[in-house]
Amino acid sequence: MCWSATADLVAGVGIAGVGVACVARLRRVRDLPLAALPLLLGAHQLVEAVVWRSGGGAGPATAAWAVIALPLLAWWVPLGVLLAAPARHQRRLLAPAAVGLVTAAVLTCSLTTRPVSAEVRGHTMGYALDLPSAPLLVAGYLLATVGSLLLAADPLLRLLGVLTAAGAVVCALLWRLEFVSTWCAVAAVASVVLSAWVRRRPEGLEARPA
């Protein structure tokens, strides 16, 4: 969704590189889902580069794009925030995690029974998904992903939630006008913030000297 196949390819490689660095700096196993999120975002951009090269359509690359964008992120993000949170803050994160799991289940069912297609629209890629109760699913998706970040104890994760929410609003407004996509920039910002978050994480108990 970043202007062209080349732009998606460059963005995907760069974002995935940040993800590799995040995982390499990892100190606690329970931080792995969030630390690896840039890798997932980078892979998403690379998959879309393939969609561009294919000229859209309803092929395997389009299906893979939809799986990552919808059910996978719907549970990956809130679960990652929950696992990384201190025990005293985990209770308030259970709700978005539960919403994420339910939303992911419905989206998975929809993607396995309904068609997904992509269409080149100027400098962006448009996706057509036949989702039941789409407004409700979108609300659940945003509550799970953005909501969990906004409820996080760590200020960098809350900042990521604010940036993601703002990015979603901007993208929605631009899509309505010209179908111009800014998700590359959102993914890049997310990767930078998560890289800073990984560097600030404390060592796990298993890594502390006796």
Side-chain angles (χ1 to χ4, degrees):
M1 298 164 65
C2 275
W3 302 98
S4 68
T6 301
D8 266 322
L9 181 62
V10 172
V13 171
I15 296 167
V18 173
V20 171
C22 287
V23 174
R25 296 191 188 105
L26 192 66
R27 298 179 181 181
R28 302 192 302 182
V29 175
R30 67 181 189 175
D31 292 338
L32 179 59
L34 281 183
L37 182 56
L39 273 175
L40 182 61
L41 294 172
H44 198 220
Q45 297 299 139
L46 295 175
V47 168
E48 189 169 69
V50 178
V51 177
W52 274 102
R53 293 295 185 188
S54 303
T62 300
W65 182 94
V67 168
I68 296 173
L70 297 173
L72 189 53
L73 284 178
W75 69 261
W76 186 294
V77 174
L79 185 62
V81 176
L82 176 63
L83 290 175
R88 64 183 181 278
H89 293 291
Q90 288 182 342
R91 177 174 292 184
R92 68 187 184 190
L93 295 168
L94 290 174
V99 171
L101 287 173
V102 173
T103 302
V106 176
L107 288 170
T108 299
C109 182
S110 297
L111 291 177
T112 56
T113 57
R114 298 166 185 259
V116 181
S117 62
E119 178 186 2
V120 177
R121 297 173 179 173
H123 290 292
T124 190
M125 185 69 68
Y127 293 88
L129 301 92
D130 182 19
L131 297 177
S133 306
L136 185 60
L137 284 175
V138 170
Y141 184 94
L142 293 176
L143 176 60
T145 53
V146 178
S148 62
L149 290 168
L150 293 175
L151 290 173
D154 191 288
L156 279 177
L157 293 183
R158 292 199 299 272
L159 172 62
L160 179 58
V162 171
L163 293 173
T164 305
V169 171
V170 170
C171 287
L173 293 175
L174 291 176
W175 286 343
R176 284 179 177 233
L177 296 175
E178 299 175 356
F179 292 101
V180 178
S181 172
T182 57
W183 273 117
C184 284
V186 174
V189 169
S191 300
V192 171
V193 174
L194 284 172
S195 179
W197 175 78
V198 169
R199 289 197 300 271
R200 285 184 45 184
R201 296 298 284 166
E203 294 183 357
L205 294 176
E206 69 276 9
R208 293 178 182 173

